[in-house]
Amino acid sequence: MNNTKSFVLFLKLLILVQFITKGYGIRTKDKMYETVGGTSACYRRLNATHQTGCTSKWGGSNGVIHFCETHKDLEDIIAHGTSPPYIPIVPPQLFNTESLQFMISSKKIDGLIIQRNNDSLEYFTHEYQCPNPSSSLDGTCNKESVWNPLGTGLMYADIPFPIFYIENQSDINTIRSCFKKFNNYSFNEHIDRSLCALELKAFMYAATNTPTCRRRSDLITTLNPVKFCDPLGDNNIWASLYPLAEGPKRNETKAIKDYSFIVVAARFDTTSMFEDTSGANNPVTSIVTLLSLAKFLNDTLTLDHVEAARKNVLFFLFNGETYDYIGSQRMLYDMVYGNFPIDNVEGSDILPPIIPKNIELFIEISQLGNANKTLYVHSKGEDQSVSNFTKILQQQKTVDISFEDVPDSLPPASLHTFKKAIPNFPGLIISDHKTSYANRFYNSIFDDAENIGFKYYNVSKDEEDQIPKSSIQHYLANVTEVIGKSIYKEITGSDYNGNNIVDVVLVNELLHCYLEDQNCKVHQAVHKNLNLPKTPMNLYVGVERVENFATNLAALTLGWFTGQYAGPGNINCTNKPRNYAFKYYNMSTSIYDLDIVNCYKVTMNTTKAVSPAFNISDYNWSSGQYSSWTESTWADIKVRVFLKPAPSQERTTLAVGSVTIIFSFILVYFIKSRSHIFFTPPVAPEAPTSC
């Protein structure tokens, strides 16, 4: 009986403990804050010589809110504000070099919020005027002729306070209502009032430069477990139009050698001052063109054409190009050391090694969002392959697009990596700009669908007439077709006279995938059971140790467009013989038949897109040979609103607290000194002498 009672008591205690541990307590000090959602922070990044970006103080930066619409408003709070520090909330138009330097020098600003407003924005680009200056060819950009004339370079400034971007108007309205209720009075009254304030938390652990940060990170111990920074990087994506090996037979392949290659390349990443990116013009227009081109060439060029010419097509999507061409530097590094497309293993015959001299022509697709009737073919130095292909482009008359040759001109692009190492490397760049960018929002959060005039049409193949002929969809489809037919002629020696055309609905869906909804039809076709946010794809390169799902989806899409039919889709598809040369995937027949699944044999794969500098044990960081960019780690990123008490209230609170603690000491002393009176133990009764 006693055992049963003990067990029941133990069970009740166990349930009570479980109930207590399931509770979620809120610390008293956190009850005074209201978290603001939908924020995007400015991060700190480092290279071999500098630290760039933003950071808050340890524990967060606090400041009184003030809405500023003009530079005059900023001057007023700095000159007349009586309750610094302040955190101004400004429109994008006010975020410029002059205003930022003014705020930093005042010492009265502890943070900054940039709000998106409905006013038309003429430009917003805080990239350098000469992007990637230390990794590009000398003489391709100078003060007299710059590629990004509107660039401020603020993205690479060292800013001593945190900066956040807030797009959601409801979040701004929450802050504004607090501001109007408590702060919207004359500055003279601020010192006597409780004021609405913000706490910006974005403390960055890294400091100084990449070598210093790496050295500190290498000293991680149990007592100091923080890693201060990570190399920027992800994966490059590549695929061949037709297999580079025969097979597989019993899971083995035989490399096809003695081929030359035409490379079609584009960058895959973009960046901005903040965590979120858009990248509609740069790089989405080039990504969509490359993917559409892969599909078009797969439908038009046959294996017989490739075998007869002994010439194959390779598609490259380079990652990390925004930060000193990380992806292309690593690709060239791997090629030179015989590690592309697979690590050099003695006796391996899985795939043929591809080195730079195997590349007959390198075609890079750059920004195309300006939708000009004239596109520009940039090159550096004389090369017969480049000249011949440029002439083929100019001879294509199927659409109303012309190509102008711009010799001795090379805008920032991956081709710089190859030309810098191999001056006679045969390459060209196709872009919508001749001497400077047409993109007024280059590498910014505002390079979005609106910037290229994209409007999505949810139509089927039979309804493609609903997509206007003047749309960016038709423009990119036309550009793709011209480049595709030119490559066809380059390989076969004759014009393409078939009936295949670039599917404008597919282009429409691809743009929709990258600019509006990640759960688009293309992604549903290549990856089943997706549950991604209905937002633009974030194409920031990220850090090496964090997988980027955008890269995986793009790789699957490229594999789908270049893949070969291997039978009906089933559970055995992915169990077919495979090695690095081939993979098998179940994918939809098309975007129009998502429920009909086929098995595809694909040549697509990925390689590391991390700077060789982090792969060389004794690398000389001062050499500048390779990209050295890292990103700082952080503990917490958040924005919170709270009510900052008036100075008089703070003084009263301090006084009451001081009196209370002094009284407590006196009371404790008094009780302790008389403890023999207050706590006299009771006298035990005498034991009885008899029963």
Side-chain angles (χ1 to χ4, degrees):
M1 185 68 179
N2 289 336
N3 289 339
T4 303
K5 288 183 177 180
S6 299
F7 177 75
V8 171
L9 180 61
F10 172 76
L11 195 60
K12 288 180 179 179
L13 288 172
L14 184 62
I15 293 172
L16 180 62
V17 170
Q18 288 288 331
F19 178 77
I20 293 172
T21 56
K22 289 291 183 182
Y24 293 92
I26 301 177
R27 298 171 67 181
T28 302
K29 82 175 187 67
D30 290 332
K31 292 181 180 180
M32 62 186 283
Y33 295 97
E34 181 178 347
T35 301
V36 178
T39 59
S40 182
C42 165
Y43 293 146
R44 170 169 284 174
R45 302 181 187 93
L46 309 96
N47 60 19
T49 57
H50 294 85
Q51 64 181 25
T52 70
C54 320
T55 184
S56 71
K57 297 174 182 175
W58 174 262
S61 298
N62 301 318
V64 174
I65 297 169
H66 196 82
F67 280 82
C68 299
E69 300 297 331
T70 64
H71 190 77
K72 177 69 166 55
D73 295 336
L74 280 175
E75 292 176 344
D76 285 344
I77 63 168
I78 289 172
H80 307 297
T82 55
S83 295
Y86 286 94
I87 294 181
I89 299 178
V90 303
Q93 294 88 341
L94 197 53
F95 183 66
N96 52 51
T97 304
E98 178 189 2
S99 296
L100 185 62
Q101 289 178 345
F102 179 68
M103 287 185 279
I104 293 173
S105 61
S106 73
K107 307 295 185 183
K108 290 187 176 182
I109 303 299
D110 218 22
L112 182 66
I113 297 288
I114 299 174
Q115 60 158 325
R116 182 158 194 166
N117 57 16
N118 295 323
D119 297 341
S120 59
L121 193 60
E122 293 183 4
Y123 62 90
F124 192 90
T125 171
H126 297 297
E127 177 60 81
Y128 283 133
Q129 292 187 339
C130 292
N132 285 345
S134 60
S135 298
S136 297
L137 280 170
D138 293 337
T140 54
C141 187
N142 52 60
K143 292 182 179 179
E144 289 73 31
S145 177
V146 297
W147 292 107
N148 188 34
L150 299 173
T152 64
L154 290 181
M155 197 157 61
Y156 303 99
D158 184 17
I159 302 171
F161 49 71
I163 302 177
F164 281 79
Y165 170 74
I166 301 179
E167 182 171 12
N168 194 320
Q169 198 58 44
S170 64
D171 294 321
I172 290 294
N173 290 339
T174 299
I175 301 173
R176 191 183 296 274
S177 62
C178 183
F179 168 78
K180 288 182 177 180
K181 185 175 181 180
F182 296 99
N183 299 19
N184 201 17
Y185 298 89
S186 69
F187 290 124
N188 292 333
E189 295 182 43
H190 278 190
I191 198 167
D192 300 319
R193 299 182 60 88
S194 295
L195 298 172
C196 192
L198 283 173
E199 178 193 66
L200 308 184
K201 275 193 173 182
F203 178 74
M204 302 287 149
Y205 287 112
T208 311
N209 53 43
T210 290
T212 303
C213 184
R214 295 280 290 177
R215 186 168 61 251
R216 291 172 179 170
S217 295
D218 290 341
L219 297 176
I220 291 177
T221 64
T222 305
L223 298 177
N224 182 33
V226 176
K227 187 175 185 180
F228 296 100
C229 61
D230 295 294
L232 291 184
D234 187 28
N235 287 318
N236 292 322
I237 305 167
W238 71 272
S240 59
L241 185 61
Y242 282 98
L244 302 177
E246 298 173 355
K249 187 176 182 180
R250 297 188 184 91
N251 213 29
E252 295 181 358
T253 59
K254 182 180 179 181
I256 301 174
K257 300 180 180 179
D258 302 323
Y259 267 50
S260 61
F261 298 95
I262 294 176
V263 170
V264 181
R267 69 168 56 188
F268 187 70
D269 68 298
T270 184
T271 191
S272 77
M273 280 286 297
F274 310 101
E275 175 187 6
D276 293 335
T277 65
S278 294
N281 196 340
N282 172 60
V284 170
T285 54
S286 53
I287 294 171
V288 169
T289 302
L290 182 143
L291 293 173
S292 304
L293 181 60
K295 179 75 168 65
F296 178 76
L297 289 176
N298 195 21
D299 293 338
T300 55
L301 273 171
T302 66
L303 182 58
D304 291 339
H305 290 141
V306 171
E307 289 178 341
R310 305 295 291 176
K311 194 181 299 183
N312 206 340
V313 182
L314 294 176
F315 300 95
F316 290 162
L317 284 170
F318 293 121
N319 224 328
E321 297 302 274
T322 306
Y323 292 96
D324 288 325
Y325 310 125
I326 293 173
S328 55
Q329 284 187 355
R330 182 57 182 266
M331 179 71 78
L332 179 61
Y333 178 83
D334 288 341
M335 284 183 174
V336 168
Y337 286 94
N339 293 327
F340 179 80
I342 190 171
D343 287 349
N344 186 8
V345 179
E346 189 70 29
S348 172
D349 198 34
I350 297 174
L351 287 171
I354 298 175
I355 57 178
K357 73 175 184 179
N358 298 138
I359 298 174
E360 183 178 296
L361 181 63
F362 185 97
I363 304 167
E364 183 163 1
I365 302 171
S366 187
Q367 302 175 65
L368 300 174
N370 199 39
N372 285 333
K373 291 291 182 70
T374 301
L375 289 177
Y376 302 95
V377 183
H378 301 266
S379 60
K380 186 78 171 175
E382 295 183 2
D383 184 89
Q384 194 61 46
S385 298
V386 172
S387 299
N388 290 342
F389 188 77
T390 302
K391 290 176 182 176
I392 294 174
L393 282 171
Q394 293 172 333
Q395 291 167 1
Q396 297 293 329
K397 303 297 182 184
T398 53
V399 294
D400 188 20
I401 296 175
S402 62
F403 290 82
E404 181 180 333
D405 187 17
V406 190
D408 202 31
S409 168
L410 217 60
S414 306
L415 182 56
H416 278 263
T417 297
F418 294 87
K419 294 290 286 186
K420 198 170 183 180
I422 310 166
N424 62 347
F425 186 78
L428 59 89
I429 300 167
I430 300 173
S431 74
D432 64 2
H433 47 272
K434 183 177 182 179
T435 57
S436 62
Y437 292 160
N439 184 5
R440 302 170 71 86
F441 301 94
Y442 180 76
N443 278 358
S444 86
I445 203 166
F446 297 107
D447 185 10
D448 53 16
E450 183 181 348
N451 186 37
I452 61 172
F454 171 68
K455 178 184 177 183
Y456 174 62
Y457 295 86
N458 188 12
V459 296
S460 64
K461 181 64 176 174
D462 297 333
E463 300 169 322
E464 70 173 54
D465 290 343
Q466 295 183 26
I467 304 176
K469 297 293 183 183
S470 60
S471 66
I472 187 68
Q473 293 94 312
H474 269 285
Y475 179 77
L476 294 182
N478 291 338
V479 173
T480 301
E481 191 169 322
V482 174
I483 298 174
K485 289 181 177 180
S486 299
I487 293 175
Y488 179 93
K489 185 172 183 178
E490 176 71 20
I491 290 178
T492 65
S494 59
D495 292 323
Y496 177 70
N497 297 314
N499 297 321
N500 287 322
I501 60 173
V502 177
D503 186 355
V504 70
V505 179
L506 179 61
V507 174
N508 175 62
E509 289 295 337
L510 284 168
L511 288 170
H512 182 54
C513 290
Y514 285 97
L515 299 179
E516 293 178 343
D517 187 2
Q518 300 176 51
N519 284 308
C520 59
K521 293 177 184 177
V522 174
H523 291 164
Q524 291 175 29
V526 301
H527 193 294
K528 303 303 178 184
N529 303 318
L530 279 179
N531 185 23
L532 298 174
K534 190 176 180 179
T535 59
M537 298 281 283
N538 191 329
L539 298 179
Y540 173 60
V541 62
V543 294
E544 175 190 11
R545 63 188 175 93
V546 178
E547 183 180 18
N548 190 338
F549 198 56
T551 305
N552 295 340
L553 286 174
L556 289 172
T557 304
L558 182 59
W560 186 38
F561 289 164
T562 57
Q564 307 298 316
Y565 175 77
N570 54 61
I571 195 171
N572 294 321
C573 172
T574 55
N575 294 327
K576 290 180 180 290
R578 62 167 67 195
N579 59 21
Y580 192 84
F582 299 104
K583 294 181 179 179
Y584 292 85
Y585 292 99
N586 284 311
M587 297 177 177
S588 298
T589 303
S590 71
I591 58 172
Y592 311 110
D593 299 299
L594 294 176
D595 295 331
I596 302 176
V597 178
N598 290 331
C599 180
Y600 289 91
K601 174 184 176 182
V602 304
T603 61
M604 171 277 302
N605 226 308
T606 60
T607 60
K608 282 286 186 185
V610 180
S611 172
F614 301 101
N615 203 47
I616 301 171
S617 58
D618 56 347
Y619 178 69
N620 179 9
W621 293 102
S622 62
S623 68
Q625 182 179 3
Y626 296 117
S627 173
S628 57
W629 285 99
T630 54
E631 180 184 275
S632 174
T633 58
W634 62 88
D636 199 9
I637 302 286
K638 68 171 63 172
V639 175
R640 299 196 293 181
V641 184
F642 68 99
L643 195 62
K644 178 184 176 183
S648 57
Q649 183 181 348
E650 290 179 325
R651 289 192 292 269
T652 302
T653 303
L654 178 62
V656 171
S658 300
V659 170
T660 301
I661 196 170
I662 292 171
F663 177 76
S664 299
F665 286 145
I666 295 172
L667 182 62
V668 169
Y669 174 78
F670 176 78
I671 293 173
K672 184 178 179 181
S673 63
R674 289 161 176 75
S675 60
H676 61 283
I677 300 173
F678 295 138
F679 306 110
T680 302
V683 179
E686 295 183 1
T689 56
S690 61
C691 295

